[in-house]
């Protein structure tokens, strides 16, 4: 379950429909972002003198006029794409600042260093003769420079005491005297990265945010020459994410609790580094690797399995004549639809479902899309999800853990997130901003109270409808009960069609640019 732990920090804003529609136009925000992008340009090119500045200002005036007079032109769409490339203005002196080394990066041999400065996760580094002892949940560092005794729960939600109490605690002991130490049953020539696959495992958002992406951040610097040592090991987790694990390590993982052998390593990193929600700070990564590099890794991880699925489908027994004729008809229709953009609706069951989903699918079809409704189950193979979303142009879904699958979309695609009442902050911070960082065109659709099933249960002046921020301030359990578990949506298709037109226009503008490029 995604925890909206910062929602109470929001200031109170009451939006009626008129104000919300004004927000949707976003003219002021667009111009502000454009000014920021042009300011970045000035930083990069200030060495060319005042002539460049004058040209930049003239360009700004010209672009402003175009944006005001031609908001639906291809040029305007191109400018919108440009604005998606950078969201945070930076000063010139900040861009050139050197990146400080990570804490515990230069650990001397024979010592333990623990970095507990992050509010999200602790991380310890042991360098020297490191040995596992599963029976006592201990990692020993033998022949240490000085005695030391540290304890750590290697999971990336340090601030949540309730879930951290469920994570196995490891003891890290540095012993100057190696006498009596267990002999090595398995000696490894590469470091270990030790982490837990417990906690909120089972929720796809937490599996990526708390586990997979931090594992990438922590292990990538080893270029696959690393062994993963897992606490609370789950066979199903390896079945689901084994293809990704193989991209990060050339060695089979170690099930710490159930493998009673003594494993010896020249170094152990205990815990994972985490940067932000579904995000990677490239300035803190070797080679400036960012979230797009992570996505390239996902491509590599799933390519083999997807090709195998396609081969299995092609090798299926020949259909009966009647079925073959029907299949031929479908192929003909598919070819006719080949020029249409592909839109995937990620369907939900239970809470936050789209009550008029069939109407949404029909509206998307009439808007020019080839529509697929994706209904993932707990046993749906990840490669199947990746195949569908990687091949789509637009993803539509209601805020929730399944929106994590925007990571499977190609940069340049469109992600439309339906934002139910009371979820504005979480929708933006957990999925909206991370999607922009990946290079997606993020299009939020904030529902009106009349589009929420809560509208039928509460009086129109009830704070649940008029002041979700105040309701969220009562605590996570209230937010979960009222807005997450107790709410469905019925889309106002007259409003939502504007989002469909925006998505189609973005796809069409991209396609024109691609077709205009020389071969």
């Amino acid at each position: 379950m995604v925890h909206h732990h910062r929602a109470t920090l929001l200031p109170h804003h009451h939006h009626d429909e008129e104000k919300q529609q004004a927000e949707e136009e976003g003219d002021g925000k667009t111009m502000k972002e454009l000014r920021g992008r042009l300011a970045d340009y000035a930083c990069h090119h200030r060495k060319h003198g005042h002539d460049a500045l004058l040209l930049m200002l003239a360009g700004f005036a010209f672009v402003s006029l175009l944006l005001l007079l031609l908001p639906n032109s291809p040029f305007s769409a191109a400018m919108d794409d440009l604005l998606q490339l950078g969201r945070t203005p930076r000063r010139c002196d900040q861009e050139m600042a050197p990146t400080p080394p990570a804490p515990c990066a230069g650990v001397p041999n024979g010592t333990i260093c623990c970095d507990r400065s992050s509010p999200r996760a602790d991380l310890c580094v042991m360098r020297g003769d490191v040995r596992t002892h599963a029976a006592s949940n201990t990692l020993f560092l033998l022949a240490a420079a000085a005695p030391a005794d540290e304890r750590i729960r290697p999971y990336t939600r340090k601030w949540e005491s309730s879930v951290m109490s469920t994570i196995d605690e490891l003891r890290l002991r540095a012993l100057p005297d190696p006498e009596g130490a267990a002999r090595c049953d398995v000696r490894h020539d590469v470091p270990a990265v030790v982490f837990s696959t417990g906690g909120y495992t089972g929720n796809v958002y937490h599996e990526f945010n708390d586990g997979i992406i931090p594992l990438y951040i922590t292990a990538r610097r080893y270029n696959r020459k690393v062994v993963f040592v897992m606490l609370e090991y789950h066979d199903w987790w390896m079945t689901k994410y084994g293809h990704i694990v193989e991209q990060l390590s050339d060695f089979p993982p170690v099930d710490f609790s159930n493998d009673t052998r003594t494993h010896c390593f020249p170094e152990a990193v205990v815990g994972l580094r985490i940067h932000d929600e579904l995000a990677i700070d490239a300035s803190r990564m070797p080679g400036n690797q960012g979230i797009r590099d992570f996505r390239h890794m996902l491509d590599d991880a799933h390519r083999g399995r997807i090709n195998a699925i396609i081969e299995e489908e092609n090798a299926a027994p020949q259909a009966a004549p009647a079925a073959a004729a029907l299949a031929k008809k479908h192929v003909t229709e598919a070819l006719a639809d080949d020029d249409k953009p592909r839109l995937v609706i990620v369907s939900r069951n239970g809470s936050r479902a789209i009550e008029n989903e069939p109407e949404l699918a029909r509206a998307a079809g009439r808007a020019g899309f080839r529509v697929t409704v994706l209904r993932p189950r707990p046993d749906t193979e990840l490669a199947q999800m990746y195949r569908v979303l990687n091949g789509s142009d637009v993803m539509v879904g209601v805020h929730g853990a399944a929106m994590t699958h925007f990571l499977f979309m190609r940069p340049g695609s469109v992600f439309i997130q339906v934002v139910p009442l009371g979820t504005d902050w979480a929708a933006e911070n957990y999925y909206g901003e991370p999607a922009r960082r990946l290079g997606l065109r993020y299009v939020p659709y904030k529902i009106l109270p009349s589009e929420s099933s809560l509208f039928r249960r509460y009086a129109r002046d009830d704070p649940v409808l008029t002041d979700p921020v105040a309701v969220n301030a009562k605590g996570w359990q209230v937010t979960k009960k009222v807005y997450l578990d107790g709410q469905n949506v019925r889309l106002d298709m007259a409003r939502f069609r504007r989002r469909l037109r925006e998505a189609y226009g973005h796809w069409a503008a991209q396609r024109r640019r691609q077709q205009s490029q020389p071969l």
Side-chain angles (χ1 to χ4, degrees), residues 448-465:
L448 299 174
S450 58
E451 295 174 274
S452 171
S453 62
L454 300 175
F455 193 74
R456 303 191 292 267
R457 295 174 50 196
Y458 293 88
R460 295 193 180 188
D461 60 350
D462 193 288
V464 166
L465 300 177

Side-chain angles (χ1 to χ4, degrees), residues 55-221:
L55 287 173
M56 182 269 292
L57 292 174
F60 175 73
F62 176 68
V63 169
S64 299
L65 182 61
L66 282 175
L67 288 172
L68 288 172
L69 297 179
L70 302 170
N72 296 318
S73 70
F75 182 81
S76 176
M79 289 305 300
D80 284 345
D81 294 340
L82 172 64
L83 295 176
Q84 293 288 331
L85 297 178
R87 307 291 298 184
T88 305
R90 297 168 298 185
R91 299 196 312 269
C92 299
D93 56 344
Q94 286 179 325
E95 291 186 357
M96 302 305 295
T99 303
C104 297
V107 179
N109 202 50
T111 58
I112 299 176
C113 173
C114 288
D115 174 18
R116 304 187 188 274
S117 61
S118 169
R120 291 175 173 265
D122 293 335
L123 182 139
C124 296
V125 179
M126 311 172 72
R127 189 159 293 157
D129 186 353
V130 180
R131 304 190 182 192
T132 65
H133 191 254
S136 62
N137 260 27
T138 303
L139 293 176
F140 290 99
L141 177 62
L142 304 184
D149 197 334
E150 301 279 356
R151 295 178 186 272
I152 182 173
R153 298 181 189 271
Y155 190 62
T156 55
R157 299 190 78 82
K158 173 181 171 180
W159 73 93
E160 287 195 51
S161 57
S162 58
V163 70
M164 291 302 291
S165 67
T166 69
I167 304 299
D168 289 345
E169 184 180 66
L170 281 177
R171 186 178 184 185
L172 315 181
R173 297 187 62 192
L175 303 177
D177 184 3
E179 289 297 326
R183 64 178 180 82
C184 293
D185 296 314
V186 183
R187 184 174 292 279
H188 304 270
D189 296 326
V190 299
V193 169
V194 185
F195 64 99
S196 173
T197 56
Y200 291 125
T201 295
N203 175 294
V204 68
Y205 166 82
H206 290 289
E207 287 167 7
F208 273 91
N209 186 71
D210 305 343
I212 296 296
I213 293 178
L215 186 62
Y216 177 92
I217 291 170
T218 308
R220 196 62 169 175
R221 67 186 66 248

Side-chain angles (χ1 to χ4, degrees), residues 30-60:
T30 299
M31 296 304 298
K32 181 179 178 181
E33 288 181 318
L34 180 58
R35 287 194 294 269
R37 295 297 292 167
L38 290 171
D40 280 350
Y41 177 88
C43 286
H44 284 297
H45 297 280
R46 62 184 176 181
K47 63 182 179 180
H48 296 295
H50 295 289
D51 290 343
L53 179 60
L54 290 173
L55 287 173
M56 182 269 292
L57 292 174
F60 175 73

Side-chain angles (χ1 to χ4, degrees), residues 365-395:
R366 287 193 291 268
F369 292 100
R370 189 170 12 145
V371 181
T372 299
V373 179
L374 186 60
R375 296 184 174 90
R377 302 183 308 273
D379 61 344
T380 299
E381 188 176 357
L382 202 64
Q384 292 280 20
M385 295 283 292
Y386 200 89
R387 179 188 181 187
V388 173
L389 290 169
N390 182 59
S392 68
D393 301 291
V394 182
M395 181 177 95

Side-chain angles (χ1 to χ4, degrees), residues 312-366:
E312 291 168 6
E313 292 173 351
N314 292 337
Q318 290 296 320
L326 182 61
K328 182 178 180 180
K329 177 177 181 291
H330 287 165
V331 168
T332 303
E333 292 173 349
L335 290 173
D337 286 346
D338 197 45
D339 286 340
K340 293 183 178 181
R342 292 152 293 186
L343 181 145
V344 175
I345 300 170
V346 181
S347 182
R348 287 183 63 94
N349 295 319
S351 65
R352 283 165 285 150
I354 300 176
E355 294 178 342
N356 56 340
E357 189 176 273
E359 185 181 0
L360 167 61
R362 289 193 296 271
R366 287 193 291 268

